[in-house]
Structures are given as structure tokens and as C-alpha cells.
Amino acid sequence: AIQTAASDEPGQPFLEFVKSRAADMRAGEEPPASLDEWRKKRVEIRKRLLEAWGGFPQDPCPLNPQILETLQRDGYRVEKIIFQTMPEVWMTANAYVPDRTGKLPCVLCVHGHWPEAKQDPHVQSRCIGLAKLGFFVLAVDAFGAGERGIVEGRGEYHGEMVAATLWPIGRPLGGLQLYENRRAVDYLLTRPEVDGSRLGITGASGGGNQTMYAGACDERFKAVVPVCSVGNYQAYLGTACCLCEMVPGALEFTEEWGVLSLTAPRALMVINATQDQIQFSVGEAKKSLAMVEPVYRLFDRPQNVKHATFEAPHDYNQPMRETMYGWMTRHLKNEGDGAPIPEPKMKVEDLGTLRCYPGDTRPDDWMTIPRFAAREGRKLCERVVAPGDASAWRQTARRLKRRLDQEVLGGTQPKPGAKPRRNAAPPAQTFEFEPEPGIRLNATQTAGGAPQRSGTMIVLSLEGEAKPADNGLSMAAHQSGRTVVSLTLRATGKHAYSHDKIRRAPDHNTAEWSSWLGRPLLGQWVLDLRAALNALEADAGLSGEVTVIGVGPAGVVALCAAALDSRIQQVVTVGSLASYISDVPFENQRLGILPYGILRDAGDIPHLAALVAPRKLIISGGVNGGGQTLGEAALRQQFEFTSRVYALEQAAGALTILPAMEDADLIRNCSLTLPGQREGLSAEPARVDPIDVPRR
């Protein structure tokens, strides 16, 4: 379902913050005044798009196409085909081949979020219609959809925590779809029936997004028809969309008009429905096209861009298809004036008939999205090797910290803010602070119980603030005599957006909105924690050594914050994710802790943990991506890299890796007197040079 935020619902301040930042990023944009100006901008947009998608392989793998079966129909035949897009990654497809001779114009049909993907009647209808009108047609299953899902039966949804496995490796699903559609064109050019100079592409909804990006980035397409998909990037803010429709950081360098304009001067028809969601609405599409049309005029091809609207819901109905037939006929056959062409009579197939792998006949080693993400993630981790001495590691650590802060998290150094406001009298006080304009947060600070001990423990949970009276861990810390701070981070707890959850992702929408800005939630949460430290210091509320305890997914927040801020002298993770590499969809995690490219640019969670060395670190239990608890042996094996770095720093005693502990036992282990002191370590808390770099 798609939701639009109401002004009075929880989480609205965060949405307003995101929308304000997006508007500032794209403020004052004007259409290019000349072809030279556009050509320069065009190069920059394409370059940034490629970066956002993680780049494409330099050397495409062999296609190795196979025709598995052929079905003869009235006026055309249907071929069941597979071909290889990337090593061991196979695309399932159906080719609709007219009973005609000579080289034929061709249309690539990409599907949207219909469960049956290429077999769905919506897709079949346009394929049969085009074939009967003399077009060679190829319908493909997108990665993770149709026959390419995790299970072999009815296709499942390829978004949320399935597509999320790709984010840490820096290869988002939208980019992989674009690359695979390029490989589909490579395959089409091997077919003797296809005229490679007359290629088109069309799709609706998520398939319309694929169409837009393929048309923008692959100039082999001469006619491009996205349906019920074009609008405006800023209109996505406040709605839910699939991860396959996301371009990480897109608003940093363009709006949707810039992508659409990359098609110029080739033929572009945008189809919208009046009853569609806001991000695909007629009004939002008009905003984009108002910037696209001047680009076409610069090429003296105003007739090559057209906007067609229909009184209809989100669909690819017969009138829309007939309009597409006329456009494709005009621009790929050079026939007619582009007016709609009546749809030929047809009969769609039973859904199972078109499957390349009916029943349970798909190979057992079939490459799914999570398996692909895990394979590529392991390759990335192999590049991070623990140096042989502490000096070399410290150089590596400084480089990784800068990458983590700037390239992955979007900058986490808070700007100086106003002094926090205290709202209650001791021993339990609530204070409010503003990490950045538009975001107001609160935390509860409780003085330690008797006997009082020097030290502050900050307890983080992405479920919201946990007061000592309501939480066993906070209570144990309080009873140990330390001051306890329970902090509610933005877009969590009482600040959470009320319609945030999509299936397994509790923070699906807020994480997506943040990614459009190039500001992943993990980076914003780290900034919040660092701003809270500033607020406590400004109000003399930061006493003694600082320990940050991250519970569940918040453990990743604690590790990243400690890596970048030396005021955190001890870190504890409790039942947290132990690795970003998962060959199954993430369970019981947050989309916000899976920032784009973190495995590629900074490393896996054990590498982040190593950046805390030589300060004290406690890993209390852990889980894999599927949510399964790791035993002690598996946990130690997972954090072997972390242990090696602590040994290099002669701080092996500062690292504790144990299965889940009782709250009281965990707090007792949080002594800052390092066991390694007997091995020559100083009793002074370890300090690490802070990373003080400007915000992007």
C-alpha cells in the first residue's frame, strides 16, 4: 500500500525535515539554456547515476542463451528462453516472434510489481498485441521476481529486506535491473530476426521506472514508453515505494526531469493515470515534463516527447496499450502519425504455461538476490586485510573512518547547537536538544543509584527511550552507581513515523526517504548520538567515562559512533547483527542500519568493531542476517578480524566476546579497568584521534 503522511500524525517533523532538505537541494533549477549547457549537465548526471548504481562490469560475461521450449500460436510463436546476465545469474524470458520474414522492430517489455511477472496478463497482453502488429517482443523476469524469486513457486516481492541485502555491497536493485535490461538488449542483437536499429522499451509501475532508466542510459533504445511511473523524486517523500525504484542520493545531483531528458532527442512518451498515487500522478509528471520539453526543443525535436493521460487507476490498460502501439509504430516502423492503434484480438495463456521452469524443476543452485549479495559481499571483505603491525593498521583505520563518515554515512559531525533544555528536577531529568535544524530530540538522564560511581552509560534502542524502571539493562546500569542516559533517536520511538513499516522492514519509508538525500538513517542516528554527547557536555551532564550500549540493531549505531568519536570509551553491543553478509532476507533488523555501500567502502561489522580498538568493546551475543542467534564459537569466528586488530594494539584484554549475558552480568563486565593492564596497558582510558572532517 502507498501512504501519504497527514500533518498531525507521528513522525511528521521528520518528514518535514526530509522534504525541506530535498527542496533546498533542488532549489532554483532551470532548464538548460543551450545544447552545450545540456551536454555538460548530461555527462554529469549519467556519471552520478552510474556511481549511485555501483557501476557495471567492465567485461560482460557470455550470454550462453538457451531456448528451452517453443509454443506455436496464431500468427506468432512463444519461446521460453534463459540467458546469463552476470556469472551464474540467469534471466528467464519469453520471446514473442511474429510469423513474418525479414528484420523486425523489437520491443523489450519489462514488468511491474505483478506477482506473476512476465507471465502476468498485463504483460502478456502488450506482448501479444505487439507481436500481432509485427514486432519481435522480449518479456523478461526482473531479478528476484517471477521465476527468479527465492522460492520456486509463485513469485514473491523482491523489495524490502530481500533487496536490502544488496545495499551494503553498493549494488542496489534498480541498478542491477538496468544492467540486466542492457544484457537483454545484447541478447536481442544476437537474434537474426531483430533489427538492432529499431528497438523500444515499455513497462508500467516498477517496470515504468526500469523503462525510464534504460531509456536514459542505453541509447540503443529509440522509443521509450514508461507507464504509470513518471512523476517527481520529491513526491516520493511521504510515500512508500519499492527498493527497486530507489536511486541512492539522487536528489544530490538531479530531479527526475534530468533522467528523462537523457532520452532526448530519441522518442519518449510518458503515460499517466488520473487516479494514480502522488509520486506517479499527472501533476507531478507535468512538473518533470515542463523541464524535459525545453531539452527536446534544444534538439529541434519537440514532436519526439509526448504526455498521454488517462482517466484510470494505476494500470497498463487497453487504451494505454493502444496509445503505446501507435507510438512504437510511428518511431520504430516509420508508419502512421503516432495515433493509437486498435489492439488485435488475442487470448492470453494460463499463467503456468509460459514458465521456463514449471513446477519444482528450477536448478537447486539458482542465484537469488540474497545469494548474489552474499557472494559479492564476501569478495569485498577479502579486500580488507588486517595489517601486520599496529602502525599500519592505524593508517588503514584512519582511511576507513573517513570513508565511513563521509562516503557511507553522509557526514556525522554535528554543528554547534543551542544549550539543551532541562525539563525536570533530579534524580531523573529529561533534556531536549536539536542535532540539526528541524530535528528536536529528547533523552532521560538518571543519576546513579547508591553507591554512586563515576561514569555515564548511554543506552540505545531503536524501539525508543528505555527508562531504568522499565528496562532491565538500564536498571542494572543504574544500580551499579553510574549515570544512565536513555536516548530516543530521530524517526524512532515517540518520533517514529506511524506508517513506516513495510513487511519485514519496520523503518522502510523513513530509511528510503533518507537515502534519496544521500543521508542514510544510520548516519543520522550517529549524528544524533554525537549531538547528545555535545549537549551533555554543554550542560555538565557528561560525567566520567562514557559507555554506549546498543541493543539489537542499535548495536551498529553504537559501533559506528564509537569509531568516529573518541569520547566514547567503551562500547557494548547486545544481540546485534554480526555481519552484513546474508544469503537470506534480513529478519528482525532495520533498513536504516544497512547503508548503501558500507561493505564496499568501510567493511563489514567486524571491521567497524575493529575501529573501536584499543578502547574496551563487549560483544554480548549476536545474530546473523536471518535473525538466528550465534553460538560462542560462531561469534568468535565472526569477529576474528576484530580480535586480530585488538591483538595488534596489545589490547586483547579490552575485547570481550561472549554469548548473551544476563543484564547484571553484562553491566559488571563494563568495568573500564582493562584486564590487559597486567600486560603493560595503561590504566588511563584509551583515546583515539577524532575524525574532524567537514560535512558534505
Side-chain angles (χ1 to χ4, degrees), residues 186-204:
D186 293 343
Y187 168 71
L188 286 169
L189 297 182
T190 70
R191 294 292 301 242
E193 307 95 332
V194 171
D195 182 347
S197 67
R198 296 188 290 162
L199 299 180
I201 183 170
T202 189

Side-chain angles (χ1 to χ4, degrees), residues 11 13-19 21-22 25 237 404-406 408-415 433-441 460 462 487-492 495 500 507-532 556-558 560-561 564 591-595 695-696:
F14 180 75
L15 177 55
E16 291 173 353
F17 165 79
V18 170
K19 286 187 171 183
R21 293 299 181 275
M25 285 177 170
L237 309 178
L404 175 66
D405 186 68
Q406 293 298 293
V408 177
L409 301 182
T412 67
Q413 180 68 50
K415 295 179 180 178
F433 63 101
E434 192 173 60
E436 50 188 325
I439 298 293
R440 293 201 64 83
L441 301 180
L460 293 180
L462 299 182
L487 174 63
T488 302
L489 303 172
R490 71 181 75 187
T492 71
H495 306 304
D500 212 0
D507 57 346
H508 182 277
N509 297 338
T510 51
E512 283 193 339
W513 305 339
S514 299
S515 293
W516 281 112
L517 307 181
R519 295 279 311 279
L521 270 180
L522 179 58
Q524 295 182 62
W525 288 333
V526 170
L527 186 148
D528 290 345
L529 176 53
R530 300 184 74 182
V556 180
V557 182
C560 290
L564 301 174
L591 190 56
I593 67 164
L594 307 170
R695 292 285 309 279
R696 285 196 298 184

Side-chain angles (χ1 to χ4, degrees), residues 171 568 593 680:
R171 299 288 300 279
I568 300 171
I593 67 164

Side-chain angles (χ1 to χ4, degrees), residues 397-439:
R398 282 193 290 270
R399 183 177 69 255
L400 292 178
K401 288 177 183 181
R402 290 189 177 92
R403 286 182 182 173
L404 175 66
D405 186 68
Q406 293 298 293
E407 297 179 27
V408 177
L409 301 182
T412 67
Q413 180 68 50
K415 295 179 180 178
K419 187 175 180 179
R421 295 188 301 168
R422 295 266 176 189
N423 293 358
Q429 302 181 64
T430 298
F431 66 92
E432 295 182 354
F433 63 101
E434 192 173 60
E436 50 188 325
I439 298 293

Side-chain angles (χ1 to χ4, degrees), residues 213-385:
Y213 293 118
C217 298
D218 193 330
E219 296 185 0
R220 294 175 293 183
F221 290 115
K222 305 305 180 186
V224 180
V225 185
V227 178
C228 288
S229 61
V230 169
N232 187 284
Y233 285 155
Q234 291 179 69
Y236 279 97
L237 309 178
T239 69
C241 67
C242 180
L243 280 184
C244 74
E245 298 170 318
M246 287 288 306
V247 182
L251 281 164
E252 293 183 297
F253 60 89
T254 193
E255 249 292 358
E256 199 161 318
W257 75 267
V259 176
L260 289 162
S261 295
L262 296 178
T263 307
R266 292 168 288 130
L268 171 66
M269 171 181 277
V270 172
I271 295 179
N272 288 100
T274 57
Q275 300 168 37
D276 213 335
Q277 297 93 348
I278 181 66
Q279 73 271 33
F280 304 144
S281 66
V282 173
E284 295 301 324
K286 284 183 175 179
K287 292 178 185 177
S288 292
L289 288 167
M291 299 281 281
V292 174
E293 288 163 352
V295 177
Y296 272 81
R297 288 196 292 270
L298 291 175
F299 285 99
D300 197 26
R301 292 290 188 277
Q303 72 278 9
N304 278 10
V305 60
K306 184 175 181 179
H307 191 197
T309 62
F310 293 85
E311 289 288 338
H314 191 76
D315 202 352
Y316 202 153
N317 60 30
Q318 183 173 337
M320 295 173 181
R321 296 195 297 269
E322 292 175 341
T323 299
M324 177 269 291
Y325 298 150
W327 190 256
M328 294 294 187
T329 298
R330 171 70 184 89
H331 292 280
L332 298 183
K333 289 186 173 183
N334 198 26
E335 297 175 4
D337 60 2
I341 294 177
E343 185 166 80
K345 291 183 179 180
M346 67 178 68
K347 180 182 178 181
V348 299
E349 306 283 346
D350 293 336
L351 298 180
T353 304
L354 297 177
R355 291 180 63 88
C356 296
Y357 294 107
D360 59 356
T361 60
R362 194 178 75 177
D364 292 338
D365 61 352
W366 189 260
M367 187 69 73
T368 64
I369 285 176
R371 284 180 176 176
F372 174 83
R375 182 186 76 179
E376 300 304 304
R378 293 186 185 101
K379 292 178 184 177
L380 293 171
C381 285
E382 290 171 0
R383 304 189 314 188
V384 185
V385 180

